[in-house]
Amino acid sequence: MNNLPKQYKKLYRQLSEYIDEGRMLTSPLELLAHGTDASFYRLIPKMVIKANDIAEVSRILANCNQMEIPVTFRAAGTSLSGQAITDSVLVIAGDNWKKHNILENGEKIRLQPGIIGAHANNLLKPYKRKIGPDPASINSAMIGGIAANNASGMCCGTKQNSYQTLDSMKVLMNDGTLLDTADEGSRASFRNTHGHLLDELSTLAQNIRSKKPLAERIRDKFKMKNTTGYSLNALVDFEDPFEILQHLMIGSEGTLGFIGEITYKTVNEDPFKASSLMIFSDNETAGRAVYRLKSEPVSAVELMDRASLKSMENADGVPGYIKDLSPEACSLLVQTGAESHEQLQEQIEIIIKALDDVPTIIPVSFTDKPEEYNNYWKIRKGLYPSVGAMRKTGTTVIIEDVVFAVKDIAEAIGALQELFVKYGYNESVIFGHALEGNLHFVFNQNFDDQAEIDRYERFMDELAVLVTDRFDGALKAEHGTGRNMAPYVEKEWGEEAYEIMKRIKAVFDPKDLLNPGVILNNDPKVHLKNLKPMPAAHESIDKCTECGFCESACVSHGMTMSPRQRITVYREMQRLKETGEQPEILASLEQDYDYKSVETCATDGLCALACPVGINTGDLVKHLRHEKNSSREKKAASRVASNMDKVTGITRVGLNVVNGVHTVLGTKAMDAIATGFRKVSGNNLPQWNPYLPKGAPKIDTNLPVNGNPRKVVYFPSCINRTMGVSKDYDEKISLTSKVKQLLKKAGYEIIYPENLSNQCCGMPYSSKGFREQSKDKSNRLEQALLKASAQGKYPVLSDMSPCLQSMKENIGEPLKLYDPIEFTLKFLTQYLDFTPADETISVFTVCSAKKMGQEEELLKLAEMCATKVVVPETNCCGFAGDRGFSHPELTAHGLRTLKEQHPEEITRGFSTSRTCEIGLTEHSGISYKSILYLVDEVTTPKKNRAKKEDETAQLTGSPDI
Ligand SMILES: Cc1cc2nc3c(=O)[nH]c(=O)nc-3n(C[C@H](O)[C@H](O)[C@H](O)COP(=O)(O)OP(=O)(O)OC[C@H]3O[C@@H](n4cnc5c(N)ncnc54)[C@H](O)[C@@H]3O)c2cc1C
């Protein structure tokens, strides 16, 4: 706050009357972290506000309008053209903007702007509907950004985008006035206060309609995808000024007002789908095929040029023949979707027939098997990442988004390829939504030196000439104009249409305060300014494009930092260290980075699953923790690692003592005392919570060996060897005893690894940056498991998913390692009958199980165990091993919406990680424990089968065990 310019200080004071300080960010770290979107531009805001609701944004707008301070809105910040950044006030409408209503049996959906597109589709799934817009970024992009960019994707074309599927909207104008276009009263009051705006829109519409060529040109240009400039089609498609207004908001990139709520008409989700990868000898033939397909029952036609195919030819699942194609070949990935299997087959025949006389290299065939067509789509979806991942460190990956008439597509591809050669962008690949004439091309660019920037400038100038003069196409189909294409809007549209755009902006935002410089900009070189530095920082993150896909998967996002923000700030710290610039800023960044980045990262690696180039920011954080660990701490970790039996023993006693005190004092007093102690210790003592278990009983590993051929090596994790039942449990025995009971029931003989009380998978050490200790523990465990399993002959069961995942990462063949989910489904189901409990339960897939692809499997198992299963939509619980004890705020943040996702009838939840279950119990109000308790509860031995299997196994040596 102290470093703010005077005018912003005054604004801050005004805002603090109704916004708490925690939601108004002004520190250098916060400003830098939020100064980035997915584009290659950077602006550092003066103030970031995490807004709560429409009333609040209305007041912010009124205050800023009065003080003439510019405001930019942000949803998920995945924009590519530099439209979600500012050097003034950034208002974020993401986390607190998740409310929705499903209307008319799924025919419509009302959404707040912070809902992620894919979540809206999940809500609509039971109704077999979805929202129209389908950007490739739908798992991260939010409704506010999808609408404000008029984003679209492979299937939605120009018929199902936000513009076409818009029903109504709540809009805030520049002065904070609210208009609800669905509400007659609101319209009437708006007419009173903003009649001049409505009149101007009507006048503009009348003017255009009176100029036939202009009206026709606008209509023609919007037959193709187009997000260059404003949605001028609103002025030819509608007469009602309210309809014009709300349709102009679509694609307005936050420059005309704030979208506070939107109601979409939903579209059909085809239940049956098939795809075909068609290969043509050259672009011309592929272009001819696209033209034919335009009038056939296809839902997507994705073009991939030869360079695209080449960039993916070594990826998993890519057909081998791709490598042998000629340099001129071109491909189309075609999808068709239908209501029934029969209809799908009919459509396939129609499509194949339509292409009868268009020669292909390989005969056209469709597959309706998801495992096969998903492989094709993986090629298409992997194109941007593959170029991004191959780029030289320090360069930026640029994705462009141009449109041509479908009839011109083959010629346009050739022209683009010539342009790449001319400017030396040799690694460029072209792909795109061919049915709409929308081509993307991806290339790498260095913005570090002026000669490179000059090359980019000349290339962009010539591209603009090629697209607009030669082909009369559009420079942006779906990514929005932003700052990137602002200099070329007039070139594409001509003077007359451009003047109309200027009048639109002037009447909505006369003081030019809403996202100024975006869409319309007088500076012909604005696209070459404020370029984002991409310095080499650390090999684990150098490939990051800052696209922001990781944010929706990150548990600390919104509390401290997201993976993208961790990387952005780390890069800048490295840059400042290198250059010696701004030492005071560097000091401030370093000071805040420790807690906001290093301490509060869950290192769960879910970000890597969402990242197009597979970056696990947790690896960077573990590296930083490693660097930070003092030699004293390393020695202490080694002592703990070599004395695990003693440490777990002492912890067990400690847990029993704490549990005893809890029983005597009661929860309230215990909570007060424990919280007091934690405060006094400067948060060094772990946080107590009422669901902390008592100590687990020591495991008796001396089991009788009875020659049973059905053997399993059971490795109880150190956590479960230490933690027993807690007060919320409806069970009396600890998990390790329960597993023993369950395995016995299924007829297994248990083998424990040697020296069990000292064994550990190493994960608790690696997550804290103690690499050597982790490696040592993991190596010792591997040796013990090899011996116990007779060199991999018997399966190994780990009772915690995180440990199993860590073991899988470090220990390989010949060991066969299983977590509770996989082991139960693969082995126990053979020997046990399941009778589902007649109740609704909740199951939570912990991060490690997610990373191992176990989400569906856990659901399957849960459905065998209970009649109804609810799966909360929460990514990571934030417990992060044992971090939930030292940083309980992370768990509280990760599980902030868990309670509301549990219907009242649920009384029990199940999972596969003991520490995560403590957090889940605390924040849901229902008891969570291992799914193995439930498996034991609902199963009985399959007597006949088990006997028969054993006899066979004894004769043949069972393949499973
Ligand atoms: C790898 C990658 C692939 C992509 N693929 C596609 C694609 O296939 N199709 C496509 O169309 N785009 C694509 N994009 C671009 C981008 O993801 C989309 O345009 C997306 O819809 C932006 O949504 P967002 O939530 O990130 O919005 P943001 O980037 O946060 O904001 C977008 C714009 O909307 C404004 N805004 C945000 N919220 C509001 C609000 N409540 N009211 C008014 N204005 C608001 C912002 O000021 C900004 O101008 C891709 C991006 C990446 C990185």
Side-chain angles (χ1 to χ4, degrees), residues 38 51 231 256 260 270 324 337 353 418 426 685 744 783 937 939:
S231 301
L256 300 182
D270 290 323
D324 304 325
K353 195 146 184 272
E418 279 170 25
N426 300 323
L685 275 182
K744 203 170 153 211
Q783 292 315 311
E937 185 183 312
T939 52

Side-chain angles (χ1 to χ4, degrees), residues 75 93-99 111-116 141-144:
D95 210 24
N96 298 326
W97 299 74
K98 305 268 184 210
K99 294 200 185 84
L111 298 162
Q112 283 200 331
I115 293 185
I116 290 176
M142 294 172 179
I143 294 302

Side-chain angles (χ1 to χ4, degrees), residues 87 154 221 237 254 365 481 523 842:
D87 56 5
M154 300 190 198
K221 278 190 75 68
D237 292 344
S365 70
T481 310
D523 181 352
S842 163

